[in-house]
């Protein structure tokens, strides 16, 4: 299995695409930092007992007054910015991944149903999608958050409500072209019930384009979540994501205490950049028309 | 099969299948009747747009909206399929009636192995255990001339050539031992060299299993090789039917004559191939009287007023024409 993969065209193209290698390295590095990172830092930034106000607003290590315990400096509560980033990235990535999985599942299901059954079901689902697409996604999320309140679960709901549309539209389109193919007719002729035809024949044949969408969407979701948190309707202060770290630092940014918001910003940038690079590679690789 | 003349396997009576589109009602099948006995092969012949495939899908109850079977009866061993519920139809599909499609490149799911696609049908239509199912699949693949069948079960459709795939499709269609196979242009997408192999195979398969077959095609050469009797469709109507030999040698309907004359004859040297002038009329807006009259060399005044009905002609033939051809008469 492994040797087959190593000799596949996919892996060969991967090795020879610098954007794919850089992108996936950034992603893997981030995944590593998110999973084991918090174990490597001494301080738990959420454990108030471990904080010392005497440590507040220490600059990064290489500046005058830097403290070797806090390589990227500290914020107003004496929180280590580096540790905050590692913990915050956990929340950001968790939200991005879970919201992507939820969007993908719901959107794919609705797209399959709309494409396969057509008629009124199709019209209703697709009009809802159209309406949703005509609003900026941040706005929809803002509306939802103001209606249902804030919290990680609310952020997930808001992101999913925004994210399903792209899957539904893509899947519906591919479904429409798949069900015209004779193997779907053949499955009907063989007497297979509709739910089996959808699950076993249509679904596997419409999945490929979703891989690209899902990859890129994780990055998009991290950004939207950061914007929401920056606007103050995202995650609660007790579970600061990268976006909330930026917001907290932004308040003192112009006092010259730039490191509290710039470093979390760089972290988001690296994550989204890596995801997009890898996503672009997947798009080229999985789209037969670009070959 | 001593009473095959008395109880037909499938009897189609005055079938009307219409498609209600925004630009008008398409009467794709407009009063088609025929019957097919046990073990018989019937050719369903006509030009593109003649309603051949719609007849096939009507029999299987797979006419999707905006299409609808307006009236008529489809009697499978006496049971009406038009009024049968969807559950009953699903039992019939694959088990009693199965279908072979035109394009073997798209009629197999590219993502599943051949074995899995065969197994799916057996699981649905038999009570066999996993091992028995596999044995059946292997036997079936071997019987359609695929060697190393056990190994090939694990292969994907793209690993087969077009002719091999059509063999697989036929094997799948035969798996549940259906009584009737509807073959919709089964050789049209294949190389000429493969065509006759596949036709021979289908012939052998249905003879072996005692099944009947409706062979839908525009290719008279194919039907004349395969069919016991032929039904010719034009614009959703039966224009002529009869025993293959009678119909091919001495057709009585000018349309059938035209179809036969359109087959290139290698024994004669001609500058131009014979063709039927004009094209199929807009089926949403059929002319009054005989649908074929605008292309017919024998048309007269009455053809524009009165639609001809099927009447007995010489030998076994029935034709819908006011001025049918006598044996030996040119069109």
């Amino acid at each position: 299995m492994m040797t087959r993969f190593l000799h596949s065209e996919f892996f060969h193209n991967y090795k020879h695409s610098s954007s794919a290698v850089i992108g996936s390295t950034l992603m893997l590095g981030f995944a590593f930092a998110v999973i084991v990172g918090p174990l490597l830092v001494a301080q738990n930034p959420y454990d108030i007992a471990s904080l010392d106000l005497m440590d507040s607003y220490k600059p990064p290590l290489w500046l005058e007054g830097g403290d070797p315990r806090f390589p990227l400096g500290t914020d107003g509560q004496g929180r280590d910015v580096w540790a905050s980033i590692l913990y915050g990235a956990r929340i950001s990535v968790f939200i991005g991944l879970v919201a992507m999985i939820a969007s993908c599942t719901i959107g794919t299901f609705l797209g399959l149903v709309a494409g396969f059954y057509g008629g009124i079901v199709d019209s209703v689902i697709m009009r809802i999608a159209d309406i949703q697409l005509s609003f900026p996604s941040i706005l929809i999320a803002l509306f939802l958050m103001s209606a249902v309140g804030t919290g990680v679960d609310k952020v997930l709901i808001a992101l999913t409500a925004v994210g399903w549309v792209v899957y539904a539209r893509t899947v519906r389109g591919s479904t429409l072209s798949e069900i015209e193919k004779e193997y779907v007719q053949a499955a009907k002729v063989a007497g297979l019930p509709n739910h089996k035809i959808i699950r076993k024949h249509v679904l596997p044949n419409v999945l490929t384009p979703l891989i690209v969408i899902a990859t890129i969407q994780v990055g998009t979701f991290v950004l939207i979540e950061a914007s929401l948190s920056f606007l103050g309707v995202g995650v609660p202060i007790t579970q600061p994501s990268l976006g909330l770290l930026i917001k907290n630092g932004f308040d003192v940014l112009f006092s010259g205490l730039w490191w509290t918001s710039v470093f979390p910003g760089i972290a988001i940038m690296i994550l989204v950049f890596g995801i997009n690079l890898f996503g672009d590679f997947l798009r080229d690789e999985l789209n037969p028309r670009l070959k | 099969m001593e009473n095959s003349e008395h109880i037909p396997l499938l009897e189609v009576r005055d079938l009307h299948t219409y498609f209600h589109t925004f630009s008008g009602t398409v009467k794709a099948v407009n009063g088609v009747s025929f019957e097919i006995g046990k073990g018989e092969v019937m050719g369903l012949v006509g030009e593109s747009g003649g309603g051949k495939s719609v007849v096939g899908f009507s029999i299987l109850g797979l006419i999707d909206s905006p299409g609808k079977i307006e009236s008529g009866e489809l009697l499978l061993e006496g049971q009406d399929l038009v009024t049968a519920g969807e559950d009953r139809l699903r039992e019939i599909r694959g088990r009693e009636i199965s279908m072979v499609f035109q394009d073997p490149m798209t009629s197999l799911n590219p993502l599943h192995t051949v074995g899995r696609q065969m197994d799916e049908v057996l699981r649905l239509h038999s009570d066999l255990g996993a091992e028995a199912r596999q044995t059946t699949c292997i036997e079936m693949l071997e019987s359609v001339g695929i060697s190393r069948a056990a190994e090939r079960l694990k292969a994907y459709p793209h690993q087969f050539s077009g002719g091999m795939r059509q063999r697989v499709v036929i094997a799948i269609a035969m798996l549940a031992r259906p009584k009737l196979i509807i073959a919709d242009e089964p050789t049209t997408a294949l190389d000429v060299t493969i065509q006759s192999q596949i036709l021979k195979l289908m012939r052998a398969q249905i003879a072996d299993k005692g099944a009947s077959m409706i062979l839908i095609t525009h290719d008279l050469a194919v039907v004349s090789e395969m069919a016991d009797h032929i039904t010719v469709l034009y614009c959703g109507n039966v224009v002529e039917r009869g025993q293959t030999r009678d119909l091919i040698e001495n057709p009585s309907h000018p349309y059938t004559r035209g179809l036969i004359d359109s087959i290139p004859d290698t024994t004669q040297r001609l500058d131009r191939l014979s063709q039927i002038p004009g094209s199929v009329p807009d089926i949403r807006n059929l002319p009054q009287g005989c649908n074929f009259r605008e292309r017919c060399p024998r048309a007269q005044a009455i053809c524009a007023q009165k639609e001809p009905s099927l009447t007995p002609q010489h030998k076994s033939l029935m034709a819908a024409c006011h001025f049918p051809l006598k044996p030996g008469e040119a069109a």
Side-chain angles (χ1 to χ4, degrees), chain B residues 282-302:
Chain B
D282 183 359
I283 203 159
R284 282 165 300 193
N285 197 4
L286 289 174
Q288 231 198 332
C290 175
N291 292 331
F292 186 58
R293 69 160 202 277
E294 282 164 1
R295 306 170 71 185
C296 182
R298 298 165 70 89
Q300 296 185 22
I302 188 177

Side-chain angles (χ1 to χ4, degrees), chain B residues 49-63:
Chain B
K52 299 165 293 181
S53 298
V54 179
V55 171
F57 282 110
S58 296
I59 294 170
L60 286 159
L62 285 174
I63 297 292

Side-chain angles (χ1 to χ4, degrees), chain B residues 116-152:
Chain B
R116 191 171 154 190
Q117 297 185 54
M118 296 182 82
D119 190 59
E120 193 171 46
V121 175
L122 271 187
R123 222 166 33 202
L124 203 64
H125 295 301
S126 74
D127 308 321
L128 299 174
E131 263 175 53
R133 288 202 304 268
Q134 198 183 358
T135 320
T136 313
C137 290
I138 293 173
E139 282 168 8
M140 190 56 76
L141 274 189
E142 278 167 354
S143 84
V144 296
I146 291 179
S147 56
R148 295 184 291 126
E151 219 173 293
R152 297 292 181 91

Side-chain angles (χ1 to χ4, degrees), chain B residues 11-260:
Chain B
E11 196 178 347
V12 176
R13 280 192 201 153
D14 202 25
L15 179 71
H16 290 76
T17 305
Y18 293 174
F19 290 84
H20 302 282
T21 66
F22 289 117
S23 52
T25 299
V26 177
K27 298 177 177 176
V29 177
N30 199 8
V32 167
S33 304
F34 58 80
E35 56 180 63
I36 171 167
K38 294 194 172 78
E40 283 182 346
V41 176
M42 190 196 82
L44 199 55
V45 181
E47 275 171 281
S48 307
K52 299 165 293 181
S53 298
V54 179
V55 171
F57 282 110
S58 296
I59 294 170
L60 286 159
L62 285 174
I63 297 292
D64 286 330
S65 178
K68 191 168 175 278
I69 298 179
E70 295 290 326
S71 61
E73 287 175 301
L74 297 162
L75 301 173
L76 181 71
E77 295 181 315
Q79 190 198 10
D80 191 4
L81 301 181
V82 177
T83 53
E86 181 61 23
D87 287 345
R88 174 74 187 122
L89 281 175
R90 204 173 284 145
E91 271 173 35
I92 289 171
R93 287 180 207 138
R95 187 175 310 181
E96 291 176 38
I97 305 178
S98 69
M99 195 154 176
V100 172
F101 288 93
Q102 174 172 349
D103 189 356
M105 292 313 191
T106 59
S107 56
L108 293 169
N109 187 332
L111 294 183
H112 296 323
T113 60
V114 162
R116 191 171 154 190
Q117 297 185 54
M118 296 182 82
D119 190 59
E120 193 171 46
V121 175
L122 271 187
R123 222 166 33 202
L124 203 64
H125 295 301
S126 74
D127 308 321
L128 299 174
E131 263 175 53
R133 288 202 304 268
Q134 198 183 358
T135 320
T136 313
C137 290
I138 293 173
E139 282 168 8
M140 190 56 76
L141 274 189
E142 278 167 354
S143 84
V144 296
I146 291 179
S147 56
R148 295 184 291 126
E151 219 173 293
R152 297 292 181 91
L153 278 183
K154 297 190 201 94
Y156 287 88
H158 72 265
Q159 294 167 298
F160 289 78
S161 67
M164 291 296 254
R165 282 196 213 192
Q166 198 65 318
R167 286 171 193 266
V168 173
V169 172
I170 292 167
I172 292 178
M174 305 299 296
L175 261 180
R177 312 225 159 212
K179 294 169 186 154
L180 176 66
I181 291 151
I182 301 172
D184 191 352
E185 305 264 9
T187 56
T188 307
L190 301 176
D191 288 351
V192 184
T193 46
I194 310 291
Q195 278 188 14
S196 71
Q197 288 178 20
I198 294 290
L199 289 174
K200 270 187 204 133
L201 171 69
M202 292 181 75
R203 178 102 235 186
Q205 284 286 323
I206 56 164
D208 185 40
K209 315 257 163 29
S212 309
M213 180 160 82
I214 297 178
L215 181 63
I216 300 174
T217 180
H218 63 271
D219 189 344
L220 270 174
V222 167
V223 252
S224 60
E225 209 173 299
M226 291 282 289
D228 300 308
H229 55 103
I230 295 177
T231 301
V232 182
L233 288 187
Y234 185 72
C235 289
N237 288 305
V238 176
V239 292
E240 181 161 21
R241 67 164 186 250
Q243 301 294 325
T244 303
R245 191 170 230 282
D246 303 341
L247 190 132
I248 297 289
E249 284 177 359
N250 288 303
S252 56
H253 196 288
Y255 178 61
T256 318
R257 173 90 261 165
L259 284 180
I260 293 168

